[in-house]
């Protein structure tokens, strides 16, 4: 067994499921974190307001996949934080016809939440199933976050 504990940010994409499976096969000690920042309609399994948000069926598939691999999964409701930090800026940009950066803000929001959860769960690393460029951002004095 690999002694490193990895917090995996699971999304509902084939690349994400495959990456998680491959880490499991390499015997990493894994934990999974899912942001559930759905807006209206998720409880009824309707199409989400924003296409990248999850329907309840998708959340259930992610949970079942993790359970089938014996990987602990944490699904956190981040709706309030999402509305405050992403939706407000998006709507303001739309009202003044300014190009919105809501996707980048959402990415920063999700990576920051993932980093905080990594610290909370005492994990050594973060992983996702996404293709990535390494960017470094100062998150607090003396600390940097590369994503």
């Amino acid at each position: 067994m690999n002694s490193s504990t990895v917090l995996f940010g699971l999304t509902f994409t084939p690349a994400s499921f495959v990456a998680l499976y491959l880490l499991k096969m390499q015997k990493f000690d894994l934990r999974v974190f899912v942001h559930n920042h759905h807006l209206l309609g998720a409880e009824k399994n309707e199409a989400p307001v924003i296409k990248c948000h999850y329907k309840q069926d998708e959340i259930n598939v992610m949970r079942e996949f993790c359970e089938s691999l014996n990987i602990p999964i944490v699904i956190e409701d981040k709706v309030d934080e999402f509305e405050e930090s992403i939706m407000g800026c998006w709507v303001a940009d739309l009202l003044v016809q300014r190009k919105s950066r809501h996707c980048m803000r959402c990415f920063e929001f999700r990576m920051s939440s993932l980093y905080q959860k990594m610290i909370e769960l005492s994990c050594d690393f973060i992983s996702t199933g996404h293709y990535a460029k390494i960017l470094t951002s100062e998150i607090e004095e003396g600390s940097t976050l590369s994503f």
Side-chain angles (χ1 to χ4, degrees):
M1 176 164 212
N2 193 317
S3 63
S4 298
T5 303
V6 178
L7 179 63
F8 192 91
L10 185 63
T11 61
F12 198 72
T13 62
S16 191
F17 285 96
V18 168
L20 180 60
Y21 179 78
L22 291 173
L23 288 171
K24 177 69 174 181
M25 294 302 101
Q26 293 174 38
K27 303 193 184 305
F28 280 93
D29 183 15
L30 296 164
R31 310 286 182 273
V32 169
F33 182 60
V34 175
H35 287 91
N36 188 15
H37 52 268
H38 62 80
L39 295 173
L40 303 173
E43 296 81 19
K44 299 175 188 171
N45 212 34
E46 296 171 357
V49 174
I50 299 173
K51 68 179 181 176
C52 59
H53 290 192
Y54 309 123
K55 295 186 283 186
Q56 189 58 50
D57 285 350
E58 294 167 339
I59 295 284
N60 293 342
V61 167
M62 288 187 272
R63 180 181 287 116
E64 290 167 10
F65 183 75
C66 291
E67 289 173 356
S68 74
L69 295 174
N70 273 339
I71 301 172
I73 182 171
V74 175
I75 301 170
E76 284 191 4
D77 185 341
K78 297 283 190 176
V79 175
D80 292 339
E81 296 96 327
F82 180 82
E83 286 180 350
E84 182 179 313
S85 56
I86 311 301
M87 292 303 293
C89 295
W90 185 21
V91 171
D93 288 343
L94 290 173
L95 289 174
V96 297
Q97 299 180 345
R98 180 176 42 223
K99 183 176 179 175
S100 178
R101 294 188 57 236
H102 63 281
C103 288
M104 187 60 190
R105 285 186 183 115
C106 185
F107 171 78
E108 291 168 349
F109 168 74
R110 289 181 292 122
M111 289 301 110
S112 176
S113 296
L114 195 57
Y115 177 77
Q116 291 168 7
K117 186 55 68 175
M118 179 190 84
I119 299 301
E120 180 183 319
L121 296 176
S122 301
C123 295
D124 302 306
F125 299 100
I126 292 174
S127 181
T128 67
H130 293 85
Y131 306 104
K133 290 183 180 180
I134 305 295
L135 305 172
T136 302
S137 176
E138 188 168 319
I139 55 171
E140 55 187 55
E141 192 172 318
S143 294
T144 59
L145 172 62
S146 295
F147 52 89

